[in-house]
Structures are given as structure tokens and as C-alpha cells.
Amino acid sequence: MTDQGSPTSQGNNLDRWYGHYAQRTTGLAASEVRALFAVASRPEVVSLAGGMPFVSALPQDLVVGAMDRVMREQGDVALQYGSGQGVPALREQILDVMALEGISGSADDVVVTTGSQHALELFSKLFLDPGDVVLAEGPSYVTALVIFRSYQAEVDQIPMDEHGLIPEALREHIARLKSAGRTIKFLYTVPTFHNPAGVTLTWERRLEILEIARANDILVLEDNPYGLLYFGEKPPAAMRSVEREGVVYLGTFSKTLAPGFRVGWALAPHAIREKLILANEAAVLSPSSFTQLVVSEYLRDADWKAQIDTFRGVYRERKETMISALEEYLPELSWTNPNGGFYVWLTLPSYLDSKAMLPRAVTELVAYTPGTAFYADGNGRQNIRLSFCYPTPERIRVGIRRLAAVINGEMDLLDTFAGTGSLSAVQKAGSSANIPTDLR
């Protein structure tokens, strides 16, 4: 008899403990974004892949001063265990941050987490059983998909267009799932400056989607990392601003301060908040007292609203540079043009495959995230997510020029051997708008 974890009993797997893992670990997989980080970190590669904030725009003296004051004035507290709910003063300040997006609430209903992704994981742990269904936009945030799958849930993705998630499509998906006897646990949405599509859900649609959720007794999980990073007109207020009991809101300081602090939060109805605290304590005992107090000190003494405005200017310049470069080097393709956030969603001709093309792009010293990363079913091969947040404008132009060379090279190769025709012919036949066809 062979050992349960031996290569004989488990094929050629080299992990001795392969047969001992819980079944839910089959849903764990390295995201295509994370897999790119090692390559993209090489200095000669222009990375348009990861959504890394440009933290160099944050004056170091603001952070160093906050750290120094925390250690001098609250060192014993900062280095000690803390509350599973988070530092009370910081929870009060988080209310001020959320007020900028129309949200009112009580500090008692805020739970501080180790980044908002941790809140997403805790929420999934509380709500998802194997076989449950999560509704989400198609495409959707890659790591959310990983988390949902890790709890053995099925993700049903709803089509989008240039105005965000399509309410009528949501109704149709809910009806189909209910008629099949499936259990829908919640709707996960990134309504403002969507990751990866860059689009923003209109106010009218926000209200309509909330009404659909109420009518079908579906909880809404609103993930909003980018809402304050708008470039022109302020986006619509958060969905949580008009629905207190049916929406759990996730926020973070990763995009408006720095991701290294790993401080995020959830604003939840009372009963859910209680369970989130228990789940938080079970997972990490307490979020870091030190980083919470540093963030709190920063919010107390720095002009944090002015700093957010500085970030807006930095990202606006980078976005405009990317759009200009796309217009120059790939004028016959289509893409989204976001009013905030970090991302542009590019659509390729239907005969190109963004995932298959990536190795050639890396060879040409440019990295991107293929659209397949943002779908649970393998769709998205016609799309590319381009991140403009981290590279300098000069590097963005170089990156888009290199990407254009890769795309044109792929098209020339296919045209030579398969007779697919020129890009201009394909685009004249099928493209009339700036929104990718699979988002309509």
C-alpha cells in the first residue's frame, strides 16, 4: 500500500502532503497579476501590470513625523496587542473619510482590517458555503475571484458597459440562478473607477441595482478603493450612502496613503459587524496597533485632503499620457477612458489572445495583465488591463510603444500565416465605440 501523499498515489505531484490538504485549497491559485510581479520588477521592463500606488508622491517627512510622535507619545500602546475592532480614534477618523463619498454612520459599525482585501476574505469566510453563488461584474477584481473560489463558491459574472454593471442583465442572471435552485449569497461590486475596466456605475444604476438587491434579498458588498481618486467631475456617492442595512462597504488607505501600512476597514450593519470582529480576532487576533496609530496621527496632523488631491494630479497626468500614447501608437484599437482610479481596459482584435501574447511582450520588455485574470470562466482573451498608476509618464509612453510593436507583430504574423486581414479592416467591420464589445 502506498502512502496517501506519495507520487504513486497522486500522479507526479512532488508535494508529499498533496493528499492531506483540505478540499477548498483546490480553489487557491496564483493570480496572473502576482505571477507578473517578479518579471515586472526588473528595471528594464516597463510594467503596466500591477496596480501599485505611486507612493513617492507622499512626502516622507509626513510619515516619519507621524511614526516618531506615535513612538514618543504612545509607544507602549503602539507595540501592544489591540482591539479586534480597531483603534477607536481611527474608526472615528474613518467616518470623516467616508463622509467625502456621502456616507454617514457610527464608529461602532467600523471594523479595521489588515487592508480591505482582508475584510473581503473575512466577509467571504462568514457568508460562503461550498456551492454558493457570488454575483460580480464581468470582468471583476482578480483577487476577489481567488478568494471566492477558495471558499468553493461559484462566481456568476454580470455583463458591463460604459456605464457599469447592466441592471437588466443582473435581473436575468438572478432569475436564472433562482430557477435552477441556486443559493445567491451576495453581489460583489467595484462601482467607482472599476478594477479592471475603469468605468463608473451611474447614480441611476446604483439606485436600480440596490432596488433589485432588496427585492431579491441579496446583500451588496461594495468595494471602493479608488473613489476619492477622481480626475475631474466627482463620481456618484457610494451605494452605502443610501442603503445602510443591505450594503457592506469596504475601504482602504492603500490608495490614498500607502499600501505598506495594510490598514483597511469594513462598515457593516450591526449584526454583521459583530461577526466580522469575531472573525478578525480568530484570524489575526488584532490588526496592527502601530500602523493604525501612525495612520491616525497622519490624519490628525497632516493635510490629508490636500495629499489626496496631489495623488489625483499625479494619476491624472499618467492617465492622460497613456490615452495619448494609445491614440498615437494603437489608434485603431478601443479602450476605456476613466475619470479616476488606476486602469485602462484595452480591447484587441478578436483573433488575438492577450494571455498567449504575454511572453512575447515580456521579451520586448513590457508587461501587462491579460484579461483572462479577471474572469472566472477563461473569458477576456481579447482584453488587456493597463495600469497607469506607477510608471512615470515617460515610461508609460515607452511601454505603450513597445506594446504596440508586440500587437502589430502578432497581427503581421497571423496575417502572413492565417490570412486574418489587417487591423484596420477588422476594426472598420466591428468597432464603433470606445467601449470594448465584451463590456456592452
Side-chain angles (χ1 to χ4, degrees):
M1 181 178 291
T2 58
D3 179 84
Q4 186 180 9
S6 70
T8 304
S9 62
Q10 296 293 336
N12 293 320
N13 196 289
L14 300 179
D15 183 354
R16 175 185 174 188
W17 305 108
Y18 182 83
H20 295 253
Y21 293 125
Q23 186 181 8
R24 63 181 173 273
T25 61
T26 57
L28 291 173
S31 78
E32 295 180 46
V33 178
R34 288 288 173 187
L36 286 167
F37 275 5
V39 172
S41 63
R42 290 161 43 192
E44 69 272 22
V45 175
V46 177
S47 176
L48 306 175
M52 296 181 294
F54 188 67
V55 294
S56 296
L58 179 69
Q60 286 193 6
D61 60 319
L62 294 179
V63 177
V64 172
M67 289 180 175
D68 181 64
R69 289 190 298 275
V70 165
M71 288 307 300
R72 282 190 291 104
E73 299 170 10
Q74 305 179 74
D76 289 346
V77 176
L79 300 179
Q80 191 53 270
Y81 293 118
S83 161
Q85 186 172 2
V87 171
L90 178 59
R91 289 190 278 115
E92 291 284 353
Q93 291 165 313
I94 285 170
L95 295 182
D96 296 333
V97 175
M98 292 190 295
L100 297 179
E101 300 191 85
I103 297 173
S104 61
S106 167
D108 288 340
D109 290 329
V110 174
V111 180
V112 178
T113 56
T114 307
S116 64
Q117 186 168 303
H118 181 219
L120 179 57
E121 201 277 338
L122 294 177
F123 183 88
S124 300
K125 183 178 182 179
L126 289 176
F127 280 91
L128 293 178
D129 289 315
D132 285 343
V133 177
V134 175
L135 300 172
E137 292 116 341
S140 190
Y141 173 45
V142 56
T143 307
L145 300 180
V146 172
I147 291 172
F148 301 150
R149 285 196 297 261
S150 75
Y151 284 98
Q152 299 171 278
E154 176 185 320
V155 182
D156 190 75
Q157 292 184 275
I158 317 298
M160 305 171 66
D161 61 15
E162 67 271 30
H163 303 299
L165 190 151
I166 302 171
E168 188 53 42
L170 176 62
R171 286 192 182 91
E172 293 170 359
H173 279 242
I174 291 172
R176 174 177 52 80
L177 289 164
K178 285 191 168 185
S179 67
R182 303 299 302 277
T183 300
I184 303 171
K185 282 296 176 70
F186 55 87
L187 166 65
Y188 171 73
T189 179
V190 185
T192 306
F193 312 134
H194 182 268
N195 179 7
V199 301
T200 295
L201 188 65
T202 64
W203 180 244
E204 292 75 19
R205 286 195 180 181
R206 292 179 192 227
L207 297 178
E208 187 174 358
I209 288 167
L210 287 172
E211 182 54 40
I212 293 170
R214 280 192 292 266
N216 290 277
D217 198 28
I218 295 173
L219 187 61
V220 175
L221 183 58
E222 180 181 15
D223 195 358
N224 189 30
Y226 312 101
L228 294 179
L229 297 176
Y230 50 87
F231 304 150
E233 183 180 353
K234 189 175 180 180
M239 299 171 81
R240 175 59 175 73
S241 69
V242 292
E243 176 58 65
R244 300 172 67 96
E245 292 302 314
V247 175
V248 174
Y249 176 93
L250 305 185
T252 181
F253 289 106
S254 291
K255 309 303 188 292
T256 56
L257 181 53
F261 286 116
R262 308 309 304 131
V263 176
W265 70 89
L267 176 67
H270 180 80
I272 296 176
R273 177 211 71 185
E274 286 298 299
K275 288 184 172 57
L276 280 171
I277 295 171
L278 294 175
N280 207 14
E281 291 172 344
V284 298
L285 191 59
S286 67
S288 166
S289 298
F290 175 73
T291 55
Q292 287 183 82
L293 288 171
V294 171
V295 172
S296 179
E297 187 72 18
Y298 167 82
L299 293 174
R300 190 188 73 177
D301 286 356
D303 189 350
W304 57 271
K305 293 180 183 178
Q307 183 57 45
I308 291 175
D309 196 51
T310 296
F311 281 127
R312 290 182 189 126
V314 168
Y315 298 136
R316 181 190 301 112
E317 179 187 18
R318 283 160 162 74
K319 191 272 299 208
E320 290 172 352
T321 298
M322 178 170 283
I323 297 299
S324 174
L326 287 169
E327 290 172 344
E328 178 178 352
Y329 294 114
L330 290 166
E332 293 162 307
L333 295 186
S334 61
W335 53 82
T336 57
N337 189 350
N339 185 44
F342 284 4
Y343 308 111
V344 167
W345 187 243
L346 179 71
T347 297
L348 302 171
S350 60
Y351 55 85
L352 291 187
D353 184 328
S354 62
K355 187 173 183 179
M357 194 173 65
L358 182 57
R360 177 172 178 175
V362 173
T363 300
E364 297 298 325
L365 303 181
V366 61
Y368 60 80
T369 308
T372 51
F374 308 99
Y375 286 91
D377 59 3
N379 281 330
R381 293 184 179 276
Q382 194 183 350
N383 298 106
I384 287 175
R385 189 191 74 175
L386 299 173
S387 302
F388 52 79
C389 46
Y390 188 75
T392 63
E394 294 75 19
R395 295 274 285 173
I396 288 172
R397 288 192 61 81
V398 170
I400 296 298
R401 187 180 71 239
R402 291 175 181 174
L403 177 62
V406 172
I407 292 172
N408 288 324
E410 288 287 304
M411 290 190 300
D412 289 344
L413 187 65
L414 287 170
D415 189 39
T416 299
F417 290 100
T420 55
S422 68
L423 172 61
S424 59
V426 172
Q427 291 301 310
K428 286 177 182 177
S431 178
S432 61
N434 229 17
I435 291 297
T437 54
D438 63 317
L439 283 184
R440 293 183 197 150

